[in-house]
Amino acid sequence: MEHHKVLRVVTRLLVPLILLFALYVQFHGDFGPGGGFQAGVIFGAGIILFAIVFGVQRCMHALPPAWMRMVAAGGVLLYAGVGVAGVLLGGNYLDYDVLAADNIAGQHLGINLIEVGVGATVAAVMVCLFYCFAGGDGEHEIEGDGAGGNHG
């Protein structure tokens, strides 16, 4: 991909905007369409675009598969942890009212934490699946980089 200068420049400009839009979708989900799943898909797509244009090896160096697996597991644990916190505070599983002194604040906090967990899990799983389809699971060295041998 080294000879595709326009594609590389456009990708350098678009990826930060894609990731920023994913954060907007993540935290605007309370007030309109969006939320964790949609934000996770957008975030994962931005990372995958980077990997396709600049090489899978470069992306794996920046975001190692082991980290992606930890983020995926951490998102699930955050989701489950919010539910367990509700039980420990005297409510039902995923009962957000007990998470704060005010019911509205508890609902807001609980939903935001759940959505962050979902978003992190979806983005990390998408990237892990891409790594697998791109030629390896990250446990072994990948031959080439999936982008025509470009490493820079």
Side-chain angles (χ1 to χ4, degrees), residues 22-77:
L23 290 175
Y24 168 78
V25 169
Q26 173 77 44
F27 294 108
H28 191 262
D30 287 356
F31 308 109
F37 186 85
Q38 295 87 344
V41 169
I42 295 167
F43 205 89
I47 293 169
I48 290 169
L49 173 64
F50 178 86
I52 289 171
V53 173
F54 292 103
V56 176
Q57 284 295 332
R58 187 169 176 185
C59 190
M60 284 180 141
H61 181 71
L63 299 170
W67 287 10
M68 293 290 95
R69 289 190 295 270
M70 285 189 288
V71 169
V76 172
L77 289 174

Side-chain angles (χ1 to χ4, degrees), residues 50-115:
F50 178 86
I52 289 171
V53 173
F54 292 103
V56 176
Q57 284 295 332
R58 187 169 176 185
C59 190
M60 284 180 141
H61 181 71
L63 299 170
W67 287 10
M68 293 290 95
R69 289 190 295 270
M70 285 189 288
V71 169
V76 172
L77 289 174
L78 179 59
Y79 190 107
V82 170
V84 171
V87 171
L88 293 176
L89 293 172
N92 294 324
Y93 188 76
L94 293 177
D95 180 12
Y96 311 131
D97 293 341
V98 297
L99 295 178
D102 179 23
N103 287 352
I104 302 295
Q107 288 285 329
H108 190 71
L109 175 64
I111 290 292
N112 280 332
L113 290 173
I114 290 291
E115 294 295 335

